[in-house]
Amino acid sequence: MTAVAVTGGSESTGADDNSRAAKAHTLALDGKDAKKRELPRTQTQLFSLVGVSWEDSADDFEGTAQIRTRSADDGTWTDWRDLDFDIRAPESEEGDASGVRGASEPLWVGPSDAVEARVAAGGKETAVPQALRLDMIDPGGTDTGRGQGKENGTSKPSAEPKKTDTAAPSPSSTGGGTAPSTAPEPTGASSEPTEAPATDQPVSPTAPAPSEEPIEEPQEPTAEPSAPAPSQEPTARPSAPTEDPTAPTPPVTEEPQEPTAEPSASAPSQEPTAEPSAAPTGEPTTQPSTQPDPAESTGPTAPAAPSIVSRADWGADESLVADPPSYLDKVDAVFVHHTAGTNSYDCTESPAIIRAILTYHVKTNGWNDIGYNFFVDKCGTVFEGRAGGVDKPVRGAHTYGFNGYSSGVSLLGDYENGGTPTPAAKQAIADIAAWKLGLHGVDPEAEVTLTAAGDTGVYKTGEKATLNTVSGHRDGFATLCPGATLYSALPEIRRTAGASVYAH
């Protein structure tokens, strides 16, 4: 067996100078038996994601590949796990480029330092593919990687179709970017700490007072006098002398005049002179309560885009991406995928998982960039995928035969073998799909007819396919992706997308 180490480059990792670059390590699976290859337990350099690949991407391997890994933390070995072979090089120049390899889907295994593998030809196969090897990815580390739904690393829709668009994590597009996840902590123990930052402020109706003054305040002032008050200072002046006797509550209604500033500061509201200074401080906040109080409960103004963690913020190594992105004329559909692998990841690991997939897609598959346009984790955080602009029709590599019409959203985790998508994840998928399709005037609850650009196992090249505008990978390609439970949730996701605040 041969060991080869490949790094993704030392420049522009998307993080600071203290970051550790992602690395790809390979072990050649040599052997004399043409029908199978085995790798005994072998100590390796640190890795967290693994797959197998071979020389000819046109060779659709029919067979089985299983791996076991040893935890770098406690030294225990996992059970045997199957690798999936549902990945195809894109039907474009990118897929025809030299260096493109056939490969299994990557499998996230967490920090590991040893591996055992067995690959066997099956079906019509008489031999394992040529130049078969094991690919192991260390995602590296970065201080900027943000998971847990933090919206301070949001990707701002950019006017420039450059893959560097991700370097502008302006929060302008978060606007009420809390919407992507209506249920921030649907998952079990591992996700709970991560859900808190999942930007799911809207979910906190149970504890409005402490954190969300702007949202809850408007509900308290049932007396409408507070609505006109924000722009002027009249209420503070007249209310003190006359209204005290009539109702003890008016002093309280006085407070809503400046809910956006700080409710506690309303005590000194007796002094009209202090009010003018308080008013301006409240104005800069995102609260347009000057006119419609009722509208505030739904959201003063529909947010421009969901909160999206940019490539820079999850630590993408931009030196891996050699060529500029390609663009579609229009996004007609969104295909939903899952990454497979584990569901027991902590949401703080989401950036590392995505960095590992980027390295695998480039260094193992030989593609120009990560295949999916967006990722969502179980905490409902949305991440930018392929570079080129989250608001641009970037051509991805996710659904063979239909990449020329669509955007791909992949949910981290395995939803075929027992995993269940969380409410936060389903909401986030619905929101990003509604927004992305809405940019092109497409209804997320409609159907569309597309022409297959390749033989997908479901459609022949040139065949017309009538699909939902939000479809599962298996609708267009012969695969189990996005898994049984996520696929069965798609009707609900479509309805949610149609009602999303991000639907245009």
Side-chain angles (χ1 to χ4, degrees), residues 25-391:
H25 308 291
T26 67
L27 284 172
L29 297 175
D30 298 324
K32 295 181 180 179
D33 190 332
K35 289 188 69 69
K36 67 179 182 180
R37 294 284 188 274
E38 293 185 350
L39 177 72
R41 293 187 175 188
T42 303
Q43 186 165 342
T44 66
Q45 297 184 57
L46 190 68
F47 69 96
S48 294
L49 180 143
V50 64
V52 297
S53 67
W54 54 93
E55 189 174 36
D56 187 358
S57 64
D59 185 357
D60 295 330
F61 177 61
E62 292 183 17
T64 60
Q66 296 179 311
I67 58 96
R68 301 179 64 189
T69 57
R70 184 178 70 188
S71 169
D73 295 328
D74 58 21
T76 58
W77 282 86
T78 66
D79 294 330
W80 285 104
R81 302 181 67 181
D82 292 319
L83 296 177
D84 295 327
F85 293 95
D86 296 334
I87 194 169
R88 286 283 298 274
E91 68 287 23
S92 62
E93 291 182 2
E94 180 181 2
D96 293 332
S98 61
V100 173
R101 294 173 62 84
S104 70
E105 292 279 6
L107 178 69
W108 178 262
V109 294
S112 306
D113 58 11
V115 65
E116 183 177 4
R118 57 193 186 195
V119 181
K124 299 177 182 178
E125 297 287 333
T126 57
V128 295
Q130 294 292 317
L132 188 66
R133 76 186 191 197
L134 192 68
D135 292 78
M136 297 159 288
I137 308 297
D138 171 10
T142 169
D143 293 336
T144 64
R146 293 190 177 97
Q148 312 175 57
K150 291 186 179 180
E151 62 177 328
N152 53 345
T154 54
S155 187
K156 173 184 178 182
S158 69
E160 301 178 326
K162 297 289 289 181
K163 51 185 183 299
T164 53
D165 65 305
T166 57
S170 164
S172 64
S173 59
T174 62
T178 57
S181 326
T182 34
E185 38 221 2
T187 58
S190 67
S191 330
E192 278 148 22
T194 64
E195 327 277 52
T199 77
D200 296 60
Q201 297 130 328
V203 178
S204 49
T206 53
S211 58
E212 300 302 321
E213 308 106 271
I215 297 176
E216 297 298 335
E217 299 290 349
Q219 300 175 358
E220 296 177 3
T222 52
E224 295 293 359
S226 60
S231 57
Q232 314 277 347
E233 78 270 21
T235 49
R237 208 179 300 164
S239 61
T242 55
E243 305 205 23
D244 278 333
T246 57
T249 32
V252 181
T253 61
E254 215 172 331
E255 298 179 293
Q257 299 171 16
E258 36 202 25
T260 55
E262 53 254 351
S264 58
S266 54
S269 62
Q270 313 168 13
E271 307 173 324
T273 55
E275 188 176 358
S277 61
T281 58
E283 298 294 338
T285 65
T286 58
Q287 129 192 49
S289 61
T290 42
Q291 296 174 329
D293 274 349
E296 288 184 341
S297 58
T298 318
T301 305
S307 176
I308 303 170
V309 177
S310 72
R311 287 169 64 94
D313 282 322
W314 56 255
D317 183 350
E318 300 298 356
S319 70
L320 290 171
V321 183
D323 299 321
S326 298
Y327 294 90
L328 310 175
D329 292 330
K330 177 184 179 183
V331 174
D332 292 292
V334 166
F335 283 96
V336 178
H337 305 255
H338 70 161
T339 59
T342 180
N343 295 313
S344 62
Y345 67 90
D346 190 280
C347 290
T348 57
E349 296 180 283
S350 300
I353 295 173
I354 298 170
R355 288 197 303 273
I357 295 173
L358 166 62
T359 306
Y360 188 89
H361 282 179
V362 175
K363 290 299 183 182
T364 298
N365 294 101
W367 300 349
N368 184 57
D369 194 354
I370 202 164
Y372 305 108
N373 298 97
F374 299 96
F375 289 89
V376 172
D377 70 11
K378 62 187 179 182
C379 292
T381 306
V382 180
F383 299 82
E384 178 180 14
R386 179 163 286 215
V390 292
D391 56 340

